[in-house]
């Protein structure tokens, strides 16, 4: 298995320091990029096969190619550092542990797409990441890695750190742009206009996730051939009923079982029950899928809504009541819904009420069909991905754990809680 590199220096106490970063080969990728033509940088990133690590998995080089090359058109780079998906914490780890890698990736991206202004949109709660980034940005300005005439290349880029309002919807790329422009974070209609065409201030914008830009810095430092030989790696945020929850760097395609083993395995004496492979917006998978590779092909499974997403593996052992898991998940989306469209605003509230009723011993047999019907009403009708994130948990739990719903409705009690000692 290739050596981890994204997390290689993450635990070094001085990694936020520019001298330490440079002494370990930092900013070599930027030097190499500045010696290339911008189009060559974009081509190299495209050839590396890097796909966005924010959840959608779109090719990064291809995305950059959508931005016009016309030098008369103002372009921006925006970093989505609003990591709000439950169970996802890899970007925060990167920002706190390797801030200059992110800055290097941002400058490379800015040079590649011909932007001279970049923004990091940081989740408000990330106080430590903010302090670390502020220091790193100041150092980068002082030493000529940001600002005018970067490393004597004639290229200039300014970088602003902006904090969001701490709303999950602000992580949706168009809602993020609304927030960055000073308005409430509510999604914009797309198509027809994607951020690469009309983004920040309606100008073409390269909008990338933190982990994606850290990959970019490594790709330019070592070359795309080296990068492809590495796997490529991906950062898994592993949480739930494992012995060592945390961020793990493993090759794309590592099985769910192997990711759990990397995180120390299950708690002693417990059996695996289910997992969200890609955060709570993914479907729930039972034990039959333990050997499924964690890659973009998850979406091809016969389970609606299964996906790699942001690679946030949330593990549940046999102490988890799936009705409760789904109820808490829907509650989260209900609270975070921006309220702009009816299926999401009303559907999440309605689902939550029905699930609570079942959970509290007042469920009716017809409630299971009702849950399925509400989820169907939301599927394909929500304005943005937040609302569309809810039905997969409903469909998959009804398919794989229907007996738990039935038991709750029939007896008014949870068989899991009475069968296991939690
Ligand atoms: S799906 Fe939900 S979050 Fe998205 S626009 Fe509609 S109400 Fe807002």
């Amino acid at each position: 298995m290739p050596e981890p590199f994204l997390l290689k220096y993450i635990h070094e106490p001085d990694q936020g320091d520019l001298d330490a970063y440079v002494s370990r080969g930092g900013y070599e990728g930027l030097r190499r990029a500045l010696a290339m033509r911008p189009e060559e940088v974009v081509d190299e990133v495209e050839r590396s096969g890097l796909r966005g690590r924010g959840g959608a998995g779109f090719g990064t080089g291809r995305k950059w190619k959508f931005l016009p090359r016309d030098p008369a058109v103002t372009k921006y780079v925006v970093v989505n550092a609003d990591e709000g998906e439950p169970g996802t914490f890899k970007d925060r780890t990167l920002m706190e542990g390797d801030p200059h890698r992110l800055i290097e990736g941002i400058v490379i991206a800015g040079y590649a797409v011909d932007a001279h202004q970049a923004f990091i949109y940081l989740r408000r709660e990330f106080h430590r990441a903010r302090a670390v980034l502020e220091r790193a940005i100041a150092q980068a300005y002082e030493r000529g890695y940001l600002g005018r005439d970067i490393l004597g290349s004639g290229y200039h880029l300014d970088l602003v750190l902006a904090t969001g309002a701490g709303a999950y919807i602000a992580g949706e790329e168009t809602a993020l742009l609304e927030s960055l422009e000073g308005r409430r974070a509510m999604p914009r209609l797309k198509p027809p206009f994607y951020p690469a065409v009309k983004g920040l201030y309606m100008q073409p914008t390269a909008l990338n996730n933190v982990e994606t830009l850290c990959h970019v810095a490594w790709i330019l430092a070592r070359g795309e051939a080296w990068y492809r030989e590495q796997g490529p790696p991906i950062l898994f945020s592993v949480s739930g009923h494992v012995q060592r929850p945390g961020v793990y760097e493993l090759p794309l395609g590592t099985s769910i079982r192997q990711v759990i083993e990397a995180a120390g395995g299950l708690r002693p004496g417990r059996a695996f029950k289910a997992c969200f492979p890609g955060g709570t917006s993914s479907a729930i998978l039972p034990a039959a899928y333990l050997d499924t590779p964690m890659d973009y092909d998850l979406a091809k499974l016969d389970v609606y809504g299964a996906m790699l997403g942001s690679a946030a593996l949330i593990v549940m052992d046999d102490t988890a009541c799936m009705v409760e898991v789904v109820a808490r998940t829907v509650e989260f989306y209900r609270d975070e819904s921006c309220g702009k469209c009816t299926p999401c605003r009303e559907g999440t509230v309605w689902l939550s009420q029905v699930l609570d009723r079942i959970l509290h011993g007042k469920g009716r047999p017809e409630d299971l069909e009702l849950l399925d019907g509400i989820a169907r009403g939301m599927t394909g009708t929500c304005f943005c991905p937040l609302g569309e994130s809810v039905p997969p948990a409903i469909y998959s739990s009804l398919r794989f754990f229907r007996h738990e719903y039935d038991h709750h409705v029939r007896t008014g009690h949870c068989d899991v809680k009475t069968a296991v000692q939690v």
Side-chain angles (χ1 to χ4, degrees):
M1 194 178 290
E3 279 286 295
F5 58 91
L6 288 161
L7 299 179
K8 189 170 178 180
Y9 301 116
I10 223 87
H11 298 300
E12 301 288 342
D14 56 357
Q15 187 54 14
D17 180 71
L18 195 144
D19 286 325
Y21 183 68
V22 171
S23 72
R24 296 182 181 116
Y27 286 112
E28 284 306 314
L30 175 60
R31 281 185 198 282
R32 186 167 161 255
L34 292 174
M36 297 161 72
R37 287 187 296 112
E39 297 88 336
E40 291 174 333
V41 177
V42 176
D43 284 341
E44 176 135 355
V45 172
E46 187 174 29
R47 280 197 307 273
S48 75
L50 175 65
R51 292 170 66 162
R53 296 295 201 242
F58 197 79
T60 304
R62 211 170 139 226
K63 191 170 174 181
W64 289 356
K65 280 191 172 169
F66 289 136
L67 275 82
R69 279 269 147 227
D70 185 351
V73 176
T74 301
K75 282 148 266 179
Y76 297 106
V77 170
V78 173
V79 184
N80 188 344
D82 191 87
E83 190 175 43
E85 175 94 7
T88 311
F89 40 87
K90 51 157 179 115
D91 287 347
R92 179 163 56 86
T93 304
L94 287 171
M95 288 187 285
E96 292 178 356
D98 203 2
H100 281 290
R101 191 85 51 195
L102 173 61
I103 295 170
E104 183 174 2
I106 293 170
V107 185
I108 293 169
Y111 177 72
V113 303
D114 184 36
H116 298 285
Q117 180 69 58
F119 297 86
I120 299 174
Y121 184 91
L122 183 71
R123 191 170 186 80
R124 181 170 289 278
E125 293 93 326
F126 291 175
H127 300 291
R128 183 169 147 69
R130 179 179 179 160
V132 171
L133 282 169
E134 277 174 347
R135 175 172 174 251
I137 290 169
Q139 287 177 341
Y141 266 109
E142 269 169 34
R143 299 277 289 278
Y145 296 103
L146 280 171
R148 305 213 69 78
D149 193 20
I150 293 172
L151 299 175
S153 65
Y155 173 64
H156 66 275
L157 181 80
D158 284 308
L159 175 61
V160 168
L161 181 63
T163 46
Y168 177 58
I169 189 59
E172 195 283 329
E173 57 182 12
T174 58
L176 184 157
L177 295 173
E178 286 286 301
S179 174
L180 200 47
E181 290 178 14
R183 288 184 292 278
R184 183 177 163 191
M186 291 177 104
R188 296 175 182 168
L189 186 64
K190 59 173 191 180
F193 297 123
Y194 289 89
V197 181
K198 286 191 189 299
L200 188 63
Y201 305 122
M202 288 295 144
Q203 295 298 122
T205 301
L207 215 159
N208 293 109
N209 150 272
V210 170
E211 186 193 340
T212 310
L213 291 168
C214 291
H215 281 261
V216 165
W218 279 105
I219 291 165
L220 267 296
R222 303 274 180 94
E224 49 97 11
W226 169 85
Y227 181 75
R228 276 191 280 109
E229 280 168 20
Q230 305 309 305
I234 185 163
L235 294 184
F236 292 98
S237 311
V238 189
S239 63
H241 298 150
V242 289
Q243 298 212 45
R244 292 195 305 270
V247 182
Y248 292 88
E249 180 175 346
L250 297 164
L252 187 67
T254 303
S255 72
I256 294 172
R257 187 190 302 277
Q258 289 168 322
V259 179
I260 293 172
E261 281 166 7
L266 297 168
R267 300 184 296 181
R270 303 266 57 120
F272 176 88
K273 183 168 191 177
C275 69
F276 285 101
T280 51
S281 49
S282 162
I284 298 167
L285 298 179
Y289 293 85
L290 266 173
D291 293 309
T292 304
M294 290 278 280
D295 61 22
Y296 297 101
D297 283 347
L298 267 178
K300 293 184 188 158
L301 289 184
D302 61 341
V303 182
Y304 175 84
M307 62 174 178
L308 181 66
S310 56
L313 180 68
I314 304 172
V315 180
M316 290 160 278
D317 66 23
D318 54 353
T319 63
C321 163
M322 299 313 291
V323 180
E324 189 173 16
V325 167
V326 175
R328 294 289 91 85
T329 302
V330 172
E331 210 172 77
F332 169 80
Y333 289 103
R334 178 199 68 193
D335 291 350
E336 295 291 334
S337 169
C338 82
K340 181 168 180 152
C341 66
T342 310
C344 173
R345 185 186 62 237
E346 304 296 325
T348 51
V349 172
W350 197 2
L351 283 173
S352 199
Q353 286 172 347
V354 177
L355 284 162
D356 268 354
R357 186 158 72 216
I358 297 172
L359 208 51
H360 292 107
K362 299 201 170 65
R364 306 166 309 193
E366 61 269 30
D367 278 345
L368 305 198
E369 295 317 311
L370 185 55
L371 287 175
D372 184 67
I374 301 167
R376 281 182 200 290
M378 294 176 70
T379 304
T381 58
C382 293
F383 190 87
C384 88
L386 188 149
E388 300 291 338
S389 298
V390 180
I394 302 288
Y395 294 141
S396 55
S397 61
L398 283 172
R399 175 174 162 189
F400 300 121
F401 300 99
R402 194 175 186 104
H403 53 284
E404 289 193 24
Y405 284 99
D406 284 338
H407 188 91
H408 271 275
V409 169
R410 211 174 48 249
T411 68
H413 297 289
C414 175
D415 58 342
V416 178
K417 300 275 184 212
T418 47
V420 295
Q421 300 211 327
V422 184

